[in-house]
Amino acid sequence: MKHGLRFVLVLLAALMLQGCSGDRPGPDAETPVTDAAEAAAYGRYEQPVTMRIGFKVPDARLNNGDSNDNNPISRYLESRTNIRVIHSWEAKGEEPYTQKAQLAIDSNDLPDAMVVDRDQLKKLMDSGMIADLTDVLGQYGSELIKDMYDSTGGRALEDASRGGRLYGLPNVAIRADSPMLLWVRQDWLDRLELPGPSTFGDIERIAKAFTQQDPDGNGKRDTTGLSAYKNIIYGAKPHINGLDAVFSAFHSFPTNWIKDSCGSIVYGSITPETKAALGKLADWYKQGLIDPGFALYKETQEPIIAGQSGMFFGPWWMPYYPLSEAVAADTRAEWRAFAAPLDESGKFVAHMAAPTDRYLVVRKDYEHPEAVVKLLNVFTRLERRRDPNTAEVKALDDFSAETGIQPRAYYPFDLLIDYSDAIEQHYTDVQQALHGKIDPELLDPDTRLLYDRWIAEEEQPKKNLEGWKATNAYKYGAAVLTSTAIEEVESVFYGSTPSMPAVWPKLQTLESETFLNIIVGETPLSAFDEFVQEWKRLGGERITQEVTAAVNRDAGR
């Protein structure tokens, strides 16, 4: 409730203020503001301001003559701010976007603002190409944005700073997004009269039953036990079908830099625990417990949507996708989440993502750096459903309902900011409201929407797919996270070292090929030892020394 009640009280106390003159931000007569700080955060420019950006094109497709930079979302943001956003360049997909951003950096031809990754931020700070945003955020950042950054204990802003000065506006990693849960077809468990899983043994028994006992009742042997991702792990932010949870249960953390039992910094992919986890997965594959065709799918979610898979690993939000697609195709499907597998001592272990991994930067000589902050304020307020302009917001909601396009797909910057504990807090508050301990009217707008959808879903199950997505993600995914004691493990180093650019792609290829070949039985488990030696020889040992030096240097600051 701590976030929601503050908003309610502020909204009730909203006052209109007289603003500034000239082309600096002034108040918007249509939007209530509470004080000078909020007027600066949300005030509309009197004169138009132009901002050139690099834009990541979403998968969503617009119609009716709209374009990537002229659509209901962009028009609404411009109407609120008087900031005209122009796309200097566009790129579709994460990798093409990163490449275009890198080209802009290398050619010293930055747009006024764009989102960059950790290594790109470092290069931009080294070269002095971006603006110091410390005072800009302090003066123009909304209370909402600042509160969300504060929820990370200062880590997000620190990650985007150097020498105590802020050079990028970071996203905020939702902590609930890190743990990988095991999603299981509950209707199949019920049909075969099987209990839910917690241990490795449980998963094996269920996978065997799902493969051999016709759980969907169609008289064919066309179902699989456990789906998998051909690249084996995600390593940072998990997604669909990664096997990170299996490694974590062995206290193995591939692709992450960790401290071993002796306190030495090691690369998690080369530890004995990783070898043990690969041995378990190879055994599962040999027994037919893992989908035998997992490495051949063009899209890893295919067997889930097709109703062939009985189990897969994924974050709490899987009902949003791909389970929404799976249930739309087969309304009989019922999915539940489990904190599994547990380690040998009965603990659920999860690797946590970095507090942030993307940064909104501003070209050093851009005349209106505060405009970037103001845009971030406005679309974050909209994203968190705290925008007081109800008529316009309803129009955007209607647009989303009609087209299936979420407004955030066309925000100028792909930068998600929320409270780091937002998911757990939403779930807890909804439970309080459902049990009569909180008046639903006092819930913050995000949580109230979830509450309303939950009630509607309870009354008419699977009647509204949007309501089903949110309710099931929280009812089963978030519920497991809030009721499970999680042993969290964090990396000690992110980013790159001097030797990485030249050799890291080769080392990553070696790693992914070795892991896949061991699991599918192309090479024996003993090949892992050869991989470790080759990894060290090709530059891994030197990189480990560089990472150790960097960590020790940071610790001595």
Side-chain angles (χ1 to χ4, degrees), residues 202-276:
D202 295 336
I203 295 173
E204 292 166 9
R205 284 189 290 274
I206 292 171
K208 185 174 293 185
F210 282 179
T211 303
Q212 300 176 357
Q213 297 182 26
D214 189 24
D216 59 358
N218 68 354
K220 301 176 182 179
R221 191 165 175 174
D222 58 355
T223 53
T224 61
L226 181 68
S227 295
Y229 172 48
K230 63 185 177 183
N231 290 339
I232 312 305
I233 57 164
Y234 287 94
K237 287 185 178 178
H239 208 262
I240 304 166
N241 272 334
L243 297 170
D244 304 59
V246 174
F247 287 89
S248 293
F250 279 91
H251 293 243
S252 160
F253 307 100
T255 77
N256 291 280
W257 294 94
I258 59 172
K259 287 190 176 182
D260 63 16
S261 57
C262 300
S264 299
I265 293 174
V266 296
Y267 184 56
S269 299
I270 67 170
T271 64
E273 292 83 1
T274 297
K275 181 179 181 181

Coordinates of all heavy atoms in Angstrom, one line a residue, residues 202-276:
D202 N 10.5 -35.2 -8.8 CA 9.1 -34.9 -9.2 C 9.0 -34.6 -10.7 O 8.1 -35.0 -11.4 CB 8.5 -33.8 -8.3 CG 8.4 -34.1 -6.9 OD1 8.3 -35.3 -6.5 OD2 8.5 -33.2 -6.0
I203 N 9.9 -33.7 -11.1 CA 9.9 -33.3 -12.5 C 10.1 -34.4 -13.4 O 9.4 -34.6 -14.4 CB 11.0 -32.2 -12.7 CG1 10.7 -30.9 -11.9 CG2 11.1 -31.8 -14.2 CD1 11.8 -29.9 -11.9
E204 N 11.0 -35.3 -13.0 CA 11.2 -36.5 -13.9 C 10.0 -37.4 -14.0 O 9.6 -37.9 -15.1 CB 12.4 -37.3 -13.3 CG 13.7 -36.6 -13.4 CD 14.8 -37.2 -12.6 OE1 14.6 -38.3 -12.0 OE2 15.9 -36.6 -12.5
R205 N 9.3 -37.6 -12.9 CA 8.1 -38.5 -12.9 C 7.0 -37.9 -13.7 O 6.3 -38.5 -14.5 CB 7.6 -38.7 -11.5 CG 8.5 -39.7 -10.7 CD 7.8 -40.1 -9.4 NE 7.8 -39.0 -8.4 CZ 8.8 -38.7 -7.6 NH1 9.9 -39.5 -7.6 NH2 8.8 -37.7 -6.8
I206 N 6.8 -36.6 -13.6 CA 5.8 -35.9 -14.3 C 6.1 -35.9 -15.8 O 5.2 -36.1 -16.7 CB 5.6 -34.5 -13.8 CG1 5.0 -34.5 -12.4 CG2 4.7 -33.6 -14.7 CD1 5.0 -33.1 -11.7
A207 N 7.4 -35.6 -16.2 CA 7.8 -35.5 -17.6 C 7.6 -36.9 -18.2 O 7.1 -37.0 -19.4 CB 9.2 -35.1 -17.7
K208 N 7.9 -37.9 -17.5 CA 7.7 -39.3 -18.1 C 6.2 -39.6 -18.3 O 5.8 -40.1 -19.3 CB 8.3 -40.3 -17.1 CG 8.3 -41.7 -17.7 CD 9.0 -42.7 -16.8 CE 10.5 -42.4 -16.8 NZ 11.3 -43.4 -16.0
A209 N 5.4 -39.2 -17.3 CA 4.0 -39.4 -17.5 C 3.4 -38.6 -18.6 O 2.5 -39.1 -19.4 CB 3.3 -39.1 -16.2
F210 N 3.8 -37.4 -18.7 CA 3.3 -36.5 -19.8 C 3.7 -37.0 -21.2 O 3.0 -36.8 -22.1 CB 3.8 -35.1 -19.6 CG 3.1 -34.3 -18.6 CD1 3.4 -33.0 -18.3 CD2 2.0 -34.8 -17.8 CE1 2.8 -32.2 -17.3 CE2 1.3 -34.1 -16.9 CZ 1.7 -32.8 -16.6
T211 N 4.8 -37.7 -21.2 CA 5.3 -38.2 -22.5 C 4.6 -39.5 -22.9 O 4.3 -39.8 -24.0 CB 6.8 -38.4 -22.4 OG1 7.4 -37.2 -22.1 CG2 7.3 -38.9 -23.8
Q212 N 4.3 -40.4 -21.9 CA 3.9 -41.7 -22.1 C 2.4 -42.1 -21.9 O 1.9 -43.1 -22.4 CB 4.8 -42.7 -21.3 CG 6.3 -42.6 -21.6 CD 7.1 -43.5 -20.7 OE1 6.6 -44.2 -19.8 NE2 8.4 -43.5 -20.9
Q213 N 1.7 -41.2 -21.1 CA 0.4 -41.6 -20.7 C -0.7 -40.8 -21.3 O -1.8 -40.7 -20.7 CB 0.3 -41.5 -19.1 CG 1.3 -42.5 -18.4 CD 1.2 -42.4 -16.9 OE1 0.1 -42.0 -16.4 NE2 2.2 -42.7 -16.2
D214 N -0.5 -40.2 -22.5 CA -1.6 -39.5 -23.2 C -2.3 -38.5 -22.3 O -3.6 -38.6 -22.2 CB -2.5 -40.5 -23.8 CG -3.5 -39.9 -24.8 OD1 -3.2 -38.8 -25.3 OD2 -4.6 -40.5 -24.9
P215 N -1.7 -37.5 -21.8 CA -2.4 -36.6 -20.8 C -3.5 -35.8 -21.5 O -4.4 -35.3 -20.8 CB -1.2 -35.7 -20.3 CG -0.2 -35.7 -21.4 CD -0.3 -37.1 -22.0
D216 N -3.4 -35.5 -22.8 CA -4.4 -34.7 -23.4 C -5.6 -35.6 -23.9 O -6.6 -35.0 -24.4 CB -3.9 -33.9 -24.6 CG -3.2 -34.8 -25.7 OD1 -3.2 -36.0 -25.5 OD2 -2.8 -34.2 -26.7
G217 N -5.5 -36.9 -23.8 CA -6.6 -37.8 -24.1 C -7.0 -37.9 -25.5 O -8.1 -38.3 -25.8
N218 N -6.1 -37.7 -26.4 CA -6.5 -37.8 -27.8 C -6.1 -39.1 -28.5 O -6.2 -39.3 -29.7 CB -5.8 -36.6 -28.7 CG -4.3 -36.7 -28.7 OD1 -3.7 -37.6 -28.1 ND2 -3.7 -35.8 -29.5
G219 N -5.6 -40.0 -27.6 CA -5.2 -41.3 -28.1 C -3.9 -41.4 -28.9 O -3.6 -42.4 -29.5
K220 N -3.2 -40.3 -28.9 CA -1.9 -40.3 -29.6 C -0.8 -40.0 -28.7 O -0.9 -39.3 -27.7 CB -2.0 -39.2 -30.7 CG -3.1 -39.4 -31.8 CD -3.1 -38.2 -32.7 CE -4.2 -38.4 -33.7 NZ -4.2 -37.2 -34.7
R221 N 0.4 -40.5 -29.0 CA 1.6 -40.1 -28.2 C 2.3 -38.9 -28.9 O 3.3 -39.1 -29.6 CB 2.5 -41.4 -28.2 CG 3.6 -41.2 -27.2 CD 4.3 -42.5 -26.9 NE 5.5 -42.3 -26.0 CZ 6.2 -43.3 -25.5 NH1 5.9 -44.6 -25.8 NH2 7.2 -43.1 -24.7
D222 N 1.7 -37.8 -28.6 CA 2.2 -36.6 -29.3 C 2.4 -35.4 -28.3 O 2.4 -34.2 -28.7 CB 1.1 -36.1 -30.4 CG -0.2 -35.8 -29.8 OD1 -0.4 -36.1 -28.6 OD2 -1.1 -35.4 -30.5
T223 N 2.7 -35.7 -27.1 CA 2.9 -34.7 -26.1 C 4.4 -34.9 -25.5 O 4.9 -36.0 -25.6 CB 1.9 -34.8 -24.9 OG1 1.9 -36.2 -24.4 CG2 0.5 -34.4 -25.4
T224 N 4.9 -33.8 -25.0 CA 6.3 -33.9 -24.5 C 6.2 -33.5 -23.0 O 5.3 -32.8 -22.5 CB 7.2 -32.9 -25.2 OG1 6.7 -31.6 -25.1 CG2 7.3 -33.3 -26.7
G225 N 7.3 -33.9 -22.3 CA 7.4 -33.5 -20.9 C 7.8 -32.1 -20.7 O 7.0 -31.3 -20.2
L226 N 9.1 -31.8 -21.0 CA 9.7 -30.5 -20.7 C 10.2 -29.8 -21.9 O 11.0 -30.4 -22.7 CB 10.8 -30.7 -19.7 CG 11.5 -29.4 -19.2 CD1 10.6 -28.5 -18.4 CD2 12.8 -29.7 -18.4
S227 N 9.7 -28.6 -22.2 CA 10.2 -27.9 -23.3 C 11.6 -27.3 -22.9 O 11.9 -27.2 -21.8 CB 9.3 -26.7 -23.7 OG 8.0 -27.2 -24.2
A228 N 12.3 -26.8 -23.9 CA 13.6 -26.2 -23.7 C 13.9 -25.2 -24.7 O 13.3 -25.1 -25.8 CB 14.7 -27.3 -23.6
Y229 N 15.0 -24.4 -24.5 CA 15.4 -23.3 -25.4 C 16.8 -23.8 -25.9 O 17.6 -24.2 -25.2 CB 15.6 -22.1 -24.5 CG 16.2 -20.9 -25.2 CD1 15.8 -20.4 -26.4 CD2 17.2 -20.1 -24.5 CE1 16.4 -19.3 -27.0 CE2 17.8 -19.0 -25.1 CZ 17.4 -18.6 -26.3 OH 18.0 -17.5 -26.9
K230 N 16.9 -23.7 -27.3 CA 18.1 -24.2 -27.9 C 19.4 -23.6 -27.5 O 20.5 -24.2 -27.6 CB 18.0 -24.1 -29.4 CG 17.9 -22.7 -30.0 CD 17.6 -22.8 -31.5 CE 17.5 -21.4 -32.1 NZ 17.2 -21.4 -33.5
N231 N 19.3 -22.3 -26.9 CA 20.5 -21.7 -26.4 C 20.7 -22.0 -24.9 O 21.6 -21.5 -24.2 CB 20.5 -20.2 -26.6 CG 20.7 -19.8 -28.1 OD1 21.2 -20.6 -28.8 ND2 20.2 -18.7 -28.4
I232 N 19.9 -22.9 -24.4 CA 20.0 -23.5 -23.0 C 19.6 -22.5 -21.9 O 18.8 -22.8 -21.1 CB 21.4 -24.1 -22.7 CG1 21.8 -25.0 -23.9 CG2 21.4 -24.9 -21.4 CD1 20.8 -26.1 -24.3
I233 N 20.3 -21.4 -21.8 CA 20.1 -20.5 -20.8 C 19.9 -19.0 -21.3 O 20.3 -18.7 -22.4 CB 21.2 -20.5 -19.7 CG1 22.5 -20.2 -20.4 CG2 21.2 -21.8 -19.0 CD1 23.6 -19.8 -19.4
Y234 N 19.4 -18.2 -20.5 CA 19.3 -16.8 -20.8 C 20.4 -16.0 -20.0 O 21.0 -15.1 -20.5 CB 18.0 -16.2 -20.5 CG 16.9 -16.6 -21.4 CD1 16.1 -17.7 -21.2 CD2 16.7 -15.9 -22.6 CE1 15.1 -18.1 -22.1 CE2 15.8 -16.3 -23.6 CZ 15.0 -17.4 -23.3 OH 14.0 -17.7 -24.2
G235 N 20.7 -16.5 -18.8 CA 21.8 -15.9 -18.0 C 21.5 -14.6 -17.3 O 22.0 -14.4 -16.3
A236 N 20.8 -13.7 -18.0 CA 20.4 -12.4 -17.3 C 19.0 -12.4 -17.1 O 18.5 -13.1 -16.2 CB 20.9 -11.3 -18.3
K237 N 18.2 -11.7 -17.9 CA 16.7 -11.7 -17.7 C 16.2 -12.9 -18.4 O 16.3 -13.1 -19.6 CB 16.1 -10.4 -18.3 CG 16.4 -9.2 -17.5 CD 15.6 -8.0 -18.2 CE 15.8 -6.7 -17.4 NZ 15.1 -5.6 -18.0
P238 N 15.5 -13.8 -17.6 CA 15.0 -15.0 -18.2 C 13.8 -14.7 -19.1 O 13.1 -13.7 -19.0 CB 14.6 -15.8 -17.0 CG 14.3 -14.9 -15.9 CD 15.2 -13.7 -16.2
H239 N 13.4 -15.7 -19.9 CA 12.3 -15.6 -20.8 C 11.6 -17.0 -20.9 O 11.5 -17.7 -19.8 CB 12.7 -15.1 -22.1 CG 11.7 -14.3 -22.9 ND1 10.9 -14.9 -23.9 CD2 11.3 -13.1 -22.8 CE1 10.0 -14.0 -24.3 NE2 10.2 -12.9 -23.7
I240 N 11.3 -17.4 -22.0 CA 10.6 -18.7 -22.2 C 11.5 -19.8 -22.4 O 12.5 -19.8 -23.2 CB 9.6 -18.6 -23.4 CG1 8.7 -17.4 -23.3 CG2 8.8 -19.8 -23.6 CD1 8.0 -17.0 -24.6
N241 N 11.3 -20.9 -21.7 CA 12.0 -22.2 -22.0 C 13.4 -22.3 -21.6 O 14.1 -23.3 -21.9 CB 11.8 -22.6 -23.5 CG 10.5 -23.4 -23.7 OD1 10.0 -24.0 -22.8 ND2 10.0 -23.3 -24.9
G242 N 14.0 -21.2 -21.0 CA 15.4 -21.4 -20.6 C 15.5 -22.4 -19.4 O 14.5 -22.6 -18.7
L243 N 16.7 -23.0 -19.3 CA 16.9 -24.0 -18.3 C 17.7 -23.5 -17.1 O 18.3 -24.2 -16.3 CB 17.6 -25.2 -18.9 CG 16.8 -25.9 -20.0 CD1 17.6 -26.9 -20.7 CD2 15.5 -26.6 -19.4
D244 N 17.7 -22.1 -16.9 CA 18.4 -21.5 -15.8 C 18.1 -22.1 -14.5 O 19.0 -22.2 -13.6 CB 18.1 -20.0 -15.8 CG 18.4 -19.3 -17.1 OD1 17.8 -19.7 -18.1 OD2 19.2 -18.3 -17.1
A245 N 16.8 -22.4 -14.2 CA 16.4 -22.9 -12.9 C 17.1 -24.2 -12.6 O 17.3 -24.5 -11.4 CB 14.9 -23.0 -12.9
V246 N 17.3 -25.1 -13.6 CA 18.0 -26.3 -13.3 C 19.4 -26.1 -12.9 O 19.9 -26.7 -11.9 CB 17.9 -27.2 -14.6 CG1 18.8 -28.5 -14.4 CG2 16.5 -27.6 -15.0
F247 N 20.1 -25.2 -13.5 CA 21.5 -24.8 -13.2 C 21.5 -24.2 -11.8 O 22.3 -24.6 -10.9 CB 22.1 -23.9 -14.2 CG 22.4 -24.5 -15.5 CD1 21.5 -24.6 -16.5 CD2 23.7 -25.1 -15.7 CE1 21.8 -25.2 -17.7 CE2 24.0 -25.7 -16.9 CZ 23.0 -25.7 -18.0
S248 N 20.5 -23.3 -11.5 CA 20.5 -22.7 -10.2 C 20.4 -23.7 -9.1 O 20.9 -23.5 -8.0 CB 19.4 -21.6 -10.1 OG 19.6 -20.5 -11.0
A249 N 19.6 -24.7 -9.3 CA 19.4 -25.7 -8.2 C 20.7 -26.5 -7.9 O 20.8 -27.1 -6.9 CB 18.3 -26.7 -8.7
F250 N 21.6 -26.5 -8.9 CA 22.9 -27.0 -8.7 C 23.9 -26.0 -8.2 O 25.1 -26.3 -8.0 CB 23.4 -27.6 -10.0 CG 22.9 -29.0 -10.3 CD1 21.8 -29.2 -11.0 CD2 23.6 -30.2 -9.8 CE1 21.3 -30.4 -11.3 CE2 23.1 -31.4 -10.1 CZ 21.9 -31.6 -10.9
H251 N 23.4 -24.8 -7.9 CA 24.3 -23.6 -7.6 C 25.3 -23.3 -8.7 O 26.4 -23.0 -8.4 CB 25.0 -23.9 -6.2 CG 24.0 -23.9 -5.1 ND1 24.0 -23.0 -4.0 CD2 22.9 -24.7 -4.8 CE1 23.0 -23.3 -3.2 NE2 22.4 -24.3 -3.6
S252 N 24.7 -23.4 -9.9 CA 25.5 -23.1 -11.1 C 24.9 -21.9 -11.7 O 23.6 -21.8 -11.9 CB 25.5 -24.3 -12.0 OG 25.8 -23.9 -13.4
F253 N 25.7 -20.9 -12.2 CA 25.2 -19.7 -12.7 C 25.9 -19.3 -14.0 O 26.7 -18.4 -14.0 CB 25.2 -18.6 -11.7 CG 24.6 -19.0 -10.4 CD1 25.4 -19.4 -9.3 CD2 23.2 -19.0 -10.2 CE1 24.8 -19.8 -8.1 CE2 22.7 -19.4 -9.0 CZ 23.5 -19.8 -8.0
P254 N 25.6 -20.1 -15.1 CA 26.3 -19.8 -16.3 C 26.1 -18.4 -16.8 O 25.1 -17.7 -16.6 CB 25.6 -20.8 -17.3 CG 25.1 -21.9 -16.4 CD 24.7 -21.2 -15.2
T255 N 27.1 -17.9 -17.5 CA 27.3 -16.6 -18.1 C 27.3 -15.5 -17.1 O 27.3 -14.3 -17.5 CB 26.1 -16.3 -19.1 OG1 24.9 -15.9 -18.4 CG2 25.9 -17.4 -20.1
N256 N 27.4 -15.8 -15.8 CA 27.5 -14.8 -14.8 C 28.8 -14.9 -14.0 O 29.4 -16.0 -13.8 CB 26.3 -14.9 -13.8 CG 25.0 -14.6 -14.4 OD1 24.7 -13.4 -14.5 ND2 24.2 -15.6 -14.8
W257 N 29.3 -13.7 -13.6 CA 30.5 -13.7 -12.8 C 30.1 -13.8 -11.3 O 29.4 -12.9 -10.8 CB 31.3 -12.4 -13.1 CG 31.8 -12.4 -14.5 CD1 31.2 -11.8 -15.6 CD2 33.0 -13.0 -15.0 NE1 32.0 -12.0 -16.7 CE2 33.1 -12.7 -16.4 CE3 34.1 -13.7 -14.4 CZ2 34.1 -13.2 -17.2 CZ3 35.1 -14.2 -15.2 CH2 35.1 -13.9 -16.6
I258 N 30.6 -14.8 -10.6 CA 30.3 -15.1 -9.2 C 31.5 -15.3 -8.4 O 32.6 -15.4 -8.9 CB 29.3 -16.3 -9.1 CG1 30.1 -17.5 -9.7 CG2 28.0 -16.0 -9.9 CD1 29.3 -18.8 -9.5
K259 N 31.4 -15.4 -7.1 CA 32.4 -15.8 -6.2 C 32.3 -17.2 -5.8 O 31.2 -17.6 -5.5 CB 32.5 -14.9 -5.0 CG 33.0 -13.5 -5.3 CD 33.2 -12.7 -4.0 CE 33.8 -11.3 -4.3 NZ 34.1 -10.5 -3.1
D260 N 33.3 -18.0 -5.9 CA 33.3 -19.4 -5.5 C 33.4 -19.5 -4.0 O 33.4 -18.5 -3.3 CB 34.3 -20.2 -6.3 CG 35.7 -19.8 -5.9 OD1 36.0 -19.1 -4.9 OD2 36.7 -20.2 -6.7
S261 N 33.4 -20.8 -3.5 CA 33.5 -21.0 -2.1 C 34.7 -20.5 -1.4 O 34.7 -20.3 -0.2 CB 33.3 -22.5 -1.8 OG 34.4 -23.2 -2.5
C262 N 35.7 -20.2 -2.2 CA 37.0 -19.7 -1.7 C 37.1 -18.2 -1.8 O 38.0 -17.6 -1.4 CB 38.2 -20.3 -2.4 SG 38.3 -22.1 -2.3
G263 N 36.0 -17.6 -2.4 CA 36.0 -16.1 -2.5 C 36.6 -15.6 -3.8 O 36.7 -14.4 -4.0
S264 N 37.0 -16.5 -4.6 CA 37.6 -16.1 -5.9 C 36.5 -15.8 -6.9 O 35.5 -16.5 -6.9 CB 38.6 -17.2 -6.4 OG 39.6 -17.4 -5.5
I265 N 36.8 -14.9 -7.8 CA 35.8 -14.6 -8.9 C 36.0 -15.6 -10.0 O 37.1 -15.8 -10.5 CB 36.0 -13.1 -9.3 CG1 35.6 -12.2 -8.2 CG2 35.2 -12.9 -10.6 CD1 35.9 -10.7 -8.5
V266 N 34.9 -16.2 -10.4 CA 35.0 -17.2 -11.5 C 33.8 -16.9 -12.5 O 32.8 -16.3 -12.1 CB 34.9 -18.6 -11.0 CG1 36.1 -18.9 -10.1 CG2 33.6 -18.8 -10.2
Y267 N 34.0 -17.4 -13.7 CA 32.9 -17.4 -14.7 C 32.0 -18.6 -14.4 O 32.5 -19.7 -14.5 CB 33.5 -17.4 -16.1 CG 32.5 -17.2 -17.2 CD1 31.6 -16.1 -17.2 CD2 32.4 -18.2 -18.2 CE1 30.7 -16.0 -18.2 CE2 31.5 -18.0 -19.2 CZ 30.7 -16.9 -19.2 OH 29.8 -16.8 -20.3
G268 N 30.7 -18.3 -14.2 CA 29.8 -19.4 -13.8 C 29.7 -20.5 -14.7 O 29.3 -21.6 -14.3
S269 N 30.0 -20.3 -16.0 CA 29.8 -21.4 -17.0 C 30.9 -22.5 -16.9 O 30.7 -23.5 -17.5 CB 29.8 -20.8 -18.4 OG 28.8 -19.9 -18.5
I270 N 32.0 -22.3 -16.2 CA 33.1 -23.2 -16.2 C 33.2 -23.9 -14.8 O 34.2 -24.6 -14.6 CB 34.4 -22.6 -16.6 CG1 34.9 -21.5 -15.5 CG2 34.2 -21.9 -18.0 CD1 36.3 -21.0 -15.8
T271 N 32.3 -23.8 -13.9 CA 32.4 -24.4 -12.6 C 32.0 -25.9 -12.6 O 31.2 -26.4 -13.5 CB 31.5 -23.7 -11.6 OG1 30.1 -23.8 -12.0 CG2 31.9 -22.2 -11.6
P272 N 32.4 -26.7 -11.6 CA 32.0 -28.1 -11.5 C 30.5 -28.2 -11.3 O 29.9 -29.2 -11.8 CB 32.7 -28.5 -10.2 CG 33.9 -27.6 -10.0 CD 33.5 -26.3 -10.6
E273 N 29.9 -27.2 -10.7 CA 28.4 -27.3 -10.5 C 27.7 -27.2 -11.9 O 26.7 -27.8 -12.1 CB 27.9 -26.1 -9.7 CG 28.3 -26.2 -8.2 CD 29.8 -25.7 -7.9 OE1 30.4 -25.2 -8.9 OE2 30.2 -25.7 -6.8
T274 N 28.3 -26.5 -12.8 CA 27.7 -26.4 -14.2 C 27.8 -27.7 -14.9 O 26.9 -28.2 -15.6 CB 28.4 -25.3 -15.0 OG1 28.2 -24.0 -14.3 CG2 27.9 -25.2 -16.4
K275 N 29.0 -28.4 -14.7 CA 29.1 -29.7 -15.3 C 28.1 -30.7 -14.7 O 27.5 -31.5 -15.5 CB 30.5 -30.3 -15.0 CG 30.8 -31.6 -15.6 CD 32.2 -32.1 -15.3 CE 32.5 -33.5 -15.9 NZ 33.9 -33.9 -15.6
A276 N 27.8 -30.6 -13.4 CA 26.8 -31.5 -12.8 C 25.4 -31.2 -13.4 O 24.6 -32.1 -13.7 CB 26.8 -31.3 -11.3

